[in-house]
Amino acid sequence: MERGKMAEAESLETAAEHERILREIESTDTACIGPTLRSVYDGEEHGRFMEKLETRIRNHDREIEKMCNFHYQGFVDSITELLKVRGEAQKLKAQQQRNLDNIVLQQPRIGSKRKSKKDAYIIFDTEIESTSPKSEQDSGILDVEDEEDDEEVPGAQDLVDFSPVYRCLHIYSVLGARETFENYYRKQRRKQARLVLQPPSNMHETLDGYRKYFNQIVGFFVVEDHILHTTQGLVNRAYIDELWEMALSKTIAALRTHSSYCSDPNLVLDLKNLIVLFADTLQVYGFPVNQLFDMLLEIRDQYSETLLKKWTGIFRNILDSDNYSPIPVTSEEMYKKVVGQFPFQDIELEKQPFPKKFPFSEFVPKVYNQIKEFIYACLKFSEDLHLSSTEIDDMIRKSTNLLLTRTLSNSLQNVIKRKNIGLTELVQIIINTTHLEKSCKYLEEFITNITNVLPETVHTTKLYGTTTFKDARHAAEEEIYTNLNQKIDQFLQLADYDWMTGDLGNKASDYLVDLIAFLRSTFAVFTHLPGKVAQTACMSACKHLATSLMQLLLEAEVRQLTLGALQQFNLDVRECEQFARSGPVPGFQEDTLQLAFIDLRQLLDLFIQWDWSTYLADYGQPNCKYLRVNPVTALTLLEKMKDTSRKNNMFAQFRKNERDKQKLIDTVAKQLRGLISSHHS
């Protein structure tokens, strides 16, 4: 029994030892387990130990199996999630061509479009890639049509999956490399920003070119703004401000360059609207946009220039197509239509029965309305620029003054200076510009009604329309005087005097009769001209005619002339004087117009009456009969009356009267030379 107790005690001791060895095996590093195993093999009960070891192994296997069964679904879910991530990564890779494509932003609205593969460079080249592949290229800020105010507008998070960015940030944070990811993200986004800010070379050709450029910039910064507010430090305000400063300078430089190529005012206006929407949109996200509005003022000047070029063509077409005849109207409806287009009131004309005519031609209401259209076009650009009424008023007035003083003025001058312009057209231009000048006050009122800035306001720019139309009218008047003189010269070229004739004529020369008839019909057209213009034209024509006739009489080619030729010439001058006395235009006092021919009249009377004694006796007296006869002129004409052929005429000595006349001519010539000499000395 005692042996049994001893055996039992020994068995318990062995079991305890085996348990200790098993615990030591479970807890000891494999490199240090050798001594433990040796103690097992040195013992006598290693068979029983192996049995216990097998039992312990089976127990552990059951525990492992339980644990695996418990975590199996999580493991499957993890594998599935990993496969999904890999699939998403593959999809994102395939979408690299559409990188930066579209956060469509319409205050703040976001959408998607396509872009080239080069611009679609994605910020990550790891297995899990960034968001934004379909975010920034073309945000479509003007692609969305008018919508109901209460429609829910999706934000960036609704259209773009930002989860890859968040996952990457989380993974790097867990791995203790958050700063590395932040630096990498920002570096890659700076590269993308430079790509986004590079405009296509043909951007200026269509509005779509500008729209895509703006949209991709908006998309880029909308994404960055969203990242700023959702990642707690992946980007910060200083980083975004730095990017925006770079973007702003590059955008403004690109717009300056490309907008300078644009010659279509409609495209410039559309571009302005895009820039305003672009600026307003980014301002909502907190970006400073004052420089964009400053640049719009530069584009405004360019817009004004393109408008002026456009209106140059408009005015040219109006002036080229005009018939330069008073507008005829045959009914009250037609009459009201014209006065509805142009501010005109004439009580006398209103009383006249139909048919009747307005004094001006079609180009007056057309030009007036095109000036108003130009003002409307200027106003369109000023909208949404956050300008005061005074600034808008000043802008419109300055642009309109350029239209009047440069564009319209040049157009009118070009018509006036045309080679084939006729007197009728010139007369009508004077009448037209007179009425346009009177309409300037209505243009002032038109601008005032638009801008609500009274013309009396300090620093208000005045319209220069009055000056423009006065200048055009004066140019047309001068052209009339020149044109009339040219017509007179053409008639005088038909003069064919026989300076050696001995016959005494009894009527004026045919060329002069035709010339006077032309002048009468011409001045009859001047009835609608301002009085001074018609009088000046008539006086100018008479003076030019008188001067030309004097030159004709005294020209060097006429070496000799007879008293008979002077008599014919005298008949022509009398025809001119009769025309002057007839009052071709009203307003002249007494014989004022006849004074144009006084030099000719006194010279011809002196020679025809051969009144040399009176001339020589009264010369120099203030009230002498031949006050207008210059002795040099008298001597020149007297020399032409000498008989230069008398030396070759063997019978000349028998013609005593002729000899006496020649002696008298010589005597008078000598005295005239004495007068001339004493006068000059």
Side-chain angles (χ1 to χ4, degrees):
M1 185 174 177
E2 208 171 291
R3 284 184 64 184
K5 286 182 180 179
M6 289 180 60
E8 183 178 353
E10 190 175 319
S11 177
L12 289 173
E13 184 179 345
T14 300
E17 180 64 15
H18 286 175
E19 186 64 30
R20 182 190 65 78
I21 292 173
L22 288 174
R23 284 198 300 270
E24 190 173 342
I25 290 174
E26 289 173 338
S27 61
T28 303
D29 188 278
T30 53
C32 304
I33 204 172
T36 303
L37 293 176
R38 176 169 301 174
S39 65
V40 172
Y41 284 99
D42 288 345
E44 298 178 355
E45 300 293 336
H46 64 272
R48 292 187 63 187
F49 173 79
M50 291 303 296
E51 290 177 3
K52 285 190 175 184
L53 180 61
E54 287 293 335
T55 301
R56 182 62 64 89
I57 289 173
R58 285 194 297 272
N59 290 337
H60 279 301
D61 284 341
R62 283 194 294 270
E63 290 296 326
I64 291 173
E65 186 175 352
K66 287 180 182 179
M67 183 67 70
C68 287
N69 287 337
F70 179 78
H71 290 288
Y72 176 73
Q73 188 59 45
F75 172 75
V76 171
D77 291 342
S78 297
I79 295 298
T80 303
E81 183 68 16
L82 181 60
L83 291 174
K84 285 183 179 179
V85 170
R86 186 171 65 180
E88 288 297 317
Q90 290 171 346
K91 287 180 182 179
L92 290 176
K93 271 190 173 181
Q95 289 175 349
Q96 283 186 12
Q97 292 179 344
R98 300 185 298 274
N99 186 33
L100 303 176
D101 243 10
N102 306 346
I103 284 187
V104 176
L105 210 153
Q106 170 71 4
Q107 292 295 339
R109 172 147 191 156
I110 304 174
S112 62
K113 290 240 173 129
R114 300 183 67 115
K115 179 68 176 176
S116 65
K117 184 174 182 179
K118 179 182 76 172
D119 290 346
Y121 180 78
I122 202 156
I123 64 168
F124 305 115
D125 54 7
T126 57
E127 276 296 313
I128 301 178
E129 305 194 42
S130 131
T131 183
S132 81
K134 49 178 181 178
S135 63
E136 300 150 12
Q137 269 300 326
D138 186 358
S139 60
I141 57 177
L142 288 186
D143 292 347
V144 182
E145 297 181 357
D146 293 340
E147 299 178 11
E148 296 297 329
D149 292 339
D150 57 355
E151 180 180 349
E152 185 177 350
V153 180
Q157 70 280 1
D158 300 310
L159 296 172
V160 178
D161 181 12
F162 287 90
S163 59
V165 173
Y166 303 148
R167 288 173 185 163
C168 285
L169 180 62
H170 177 70
I171 291 171
Y172 275 83
S173 298
V174 170
L175 295 176
R178 179 188 175 100
E179 185 177 350
T180 301
F181 178 70
E182 289 177 358
N183 293 335
Y184 184 67
Y185 176 90
R186 296 180 186 186
K187 179 181 178 181
Q188 294 303 320
R189 289 297 275 171
R190 284 191 180 94
K191 289 181 180 179
Q192 288 180 24
R194 292 188 179 93
L195 289 176
V196 165
L197 294 168
Q198 183 65 41
S201 59
N202 63 341
M203 182 172 74
H204 57 275
E205 294 178 359
T206 64
L207 188 63
D208 281 343
Y210 289 108
R211 181 183 289 113
K212 290 178 180 178
Y213 180 63
F214 288 136
N215 288 340
Q216 64 191 31
I217 296 173
V218 171
F220 181 92
F221 282 98
V222 168
V223 166
E224 291 307 287
D225 180 80
H226 188 77
I227 292 295
L228 172 69
H229 290 93
T230 58
T231 58
Q232 297 180 346
L234 180 57
V235 298
N236 55 31
R237 176 52 65 181
Y239 154 80
I240 291 184
D241 288 345
E242 177 195 343
L243 275 183
W244 174 241
E245 186 176 348
M246 175 189 71
L248 196 59
S249 63
K250 288 184 177 294
T251 301
I252 290 175
L255 289 174
R256 279 200 182 111
T257 300
H258 285 267
S259 64
S260 65
Y261 297 123
C262 187
S263 58
D264 179 6
N266 292 327
L267 181 56
V268 178
L269 184 62
D270 289 339
L271 173 59
K272 166 254 169 181
N273 291 331
L274 272 178
I275 294 174
V276 169
L277 188 53
F278 173 71
D280 287 347
T281 299
L282 286 164
Q283 193 172 36
V284 169
Y285 284 88
F287 296 103
V289 294
N290 288 341
Q291 291 184 52
L292 286 172
F293 283 99
D294 291 341
M295 188 201 61
L296 280 173
L297 298 182
E298 299 176 24
I299 295 181
R300 177 193 64 188
D301 296 335
Q302 183 191 345
Y303 175 70
S304 180
E305 286 298 319
T306 60
L307 283 182
L308 291 174
K309 289 179 182 178
K310 179 179 179 179
W311 258 260
T312 295
I314 290 173
F315 287 142
R316 182 173 59 245
N317 292 336
I318 290 174
L319 298 176
D320 287 348
S321 62
D322 198 68
N323 60 9
Y324 294 92
S325 299
I327 301 173
V329 287
T330 58
S331 67
E332 185 69 24
E333 183 181 359
M334 293 177 65
Y335 188 91
K336 288 182 177 179
K337 180 180 179 183
V338 175
V339 296
Q341 295 172 336
F342 181 74
F344 175 79
Q345 187 175 15
D346 187 326
I347 297 176
E348 292 300 321
L349 184 62
E350 290 176 3
K351 291 179 180 178
Q352 293 177 17
F354 292 101
K356 51 189 174 184
K357 294 180 179 179
F358 285 94
F360 45 80
S361 70
E362 288 280 358
F363 95 54
V364 169
K366 287 182 178 178
V367 165
Y368 181 80
N369 280 285
Q370 282 303 322
I371 295 173
K372 291 171 64 177
E373 288 297 322
F374 179 87
I375 292 170
Y376 277 129
C378 291
L379 180 65
K380 286 181 180 178
F381 194 91
S382 67
E383 293 173 350
D384 302 319
L385 292 188
H386 314 306
L387 299 174
S388 67
S389 297
T390 305
E391 289 173 315
I392 294 173
D393 183 86
D394 186 63
M395 182 197 79
I396 291 176
R397 288 176 179 273
K398 287 181 178 178
S399 296
T400 305
N401 276 334
L402 284 176
L403 178 78
L404 294 171
T405 60
R406 194 172 80 185
T407 306
L408 181 54
S409 179
N410 289 343
S411 298
L412 289 170
Q413 295 289 344
N414 289 337
V415 172
I416 292 168
K417 299 295 183 183
R418 278 196 307 222
K419 290 183 178 179
N420 61 343
I421 190 74
L423 284 170
T424 304
E425 288 89 343
L426 289 169
V427 169
Q428 192 62 61
I429 288 173
I430 291 174
I431 295 170
N432 288 354
T433 52
T434 300
H435 286 285
L436 282 170
E437 180 185 342
K438 293 177 181 177
S439 73
C440 287
K441 63 178 181 179
Y442 298 104
L443 290 174
E444 290 271 8
E445 292 176 4
F446 179 70
I447 294 176
T448 298
N449 291 335
I450 288 177
T451 62
N452 293 320
V453 177
L454 296 176
E456 299 81 30
T457 304
V458 181
H459 305 310
T460 297
T461 304
K462 303 299 180 184
L463 287 186
Y464 300 145
T466 301
T467 303
T468 296
F469 298 125
K470 277 184 178 177
D471 291 345
R473 185 167 65 254
H474 291 158
E477 291 168 6
E478 291 297 327
E479 199 64 27
I480 281 181
Y481 309 148
T482 302
N483 196 304
L484 266 176
N485 293 345
Q486 290 173 347
K487 291 290 185 181
I488 291 171
D489 292 340
Q490 291 173 9
F491 280 100
L492 287 171
Q493 288 174 3
L494 301 176
D496 187 21
Y497 288 102
D498 181 3
W499 297 110
M500 298 303 295
T501 184
D503 299 331
L504 297 179
N506 57 8
K507 66 174 184 176
S509 303
D510 291 341
Y511 89 90
L512 196 82
V513 173
D514 292 340
L515 170 56
I516 296 301
F518 162 75
L519 291 176
R520 288 187 187 282
S521 63
T522 297
F523 292 129
V525 180
F526 285 17
T527 52
H528 293 296
L529 281 176
K532 290 183 179 180
V533 177
Q535 293 168 18
T536 304
C538 191
M539 178 59 80
S540 172
C542 288
K543 284 184 176 180
H544 182 73
L545 177 56
T547 302
S548 300
L549 287 172
M550 182 71 81
Q551 290 173 348
L552 195 62
L553 187 63
L554 299 176
E555 65 181 353
E557 293 181 3
V558 181
R559 297 178 180 276
Q560 189 175 359
L561 52 78
T562 64
L563 191 59
L566 275 182
Q567 292 282 9
Q568 180 60 52
F569 197 80
N570 186 51
L571 289 173
D572 291 346
V573 174
R574 286 189 181 282
E575 187 74 15
C576 294
E577 290 172 322
Q578 174 58 33
F579 167 73
R581 279 194 301 271
S582 68
V585 295
F588 285 110
Q589 295 180 352
E590 299 178 353
D591 295 334
T592 304
L593 199 56
Q594 276 183 268
L595 292 176
F597 301 97
I598 190 66
D599 290 9
L600 274 172
R601 172 48 48 217
Q602 291 187 9
L603 181 65
L604 290 171
D605 284 353
L606 174 61
F607 273 82
I608 291 172
Q609 296 174 17
W610 207 251
D611 196 10
W612 292 106
S613 58
T614 303
Y615 178 78
L616 293 170
D618 295 345
Y619 182 78
Q621 300 299 318
N623 297 320
C624 66
K625 183 178 179 180
Y626 302 104
L627 181 65
R628 304 291 300 177
V629 178
N630 187 296
V632 176
T633 303
L635 180 60
T636 302
L637 186 58
L638 190 63
E639 293 286 355
K640 293 177 184 290
M641 298 191 71
K642 287 184 178 181
D643 186 1
T644 56
S645 64
R646 68 181 186 275
K647 295 179 180 179
N648 299 325
N649 190 338
M650 60 182 299
F651 301 104
Q653 58 181 325
F654 300 107
R655 298 203 289 267
K656 185 175 182 303
N657 291 338
E658 186 67 26
R659 289 201 308 274
D660 292 343
K661 181 181 178 182
Q662 292 300 323
K663 287 181 181 179
L664 181 58
I665 290 174
D666 290 339
T667 301
V668 172
K670 184 177 181 181
Q671 290 176 306
L672 286 172
R673 291 190 187 97
L675 280 178
I676 295 169
S677 177
S678 63
H679 178 70
H680 283 293
S681 63

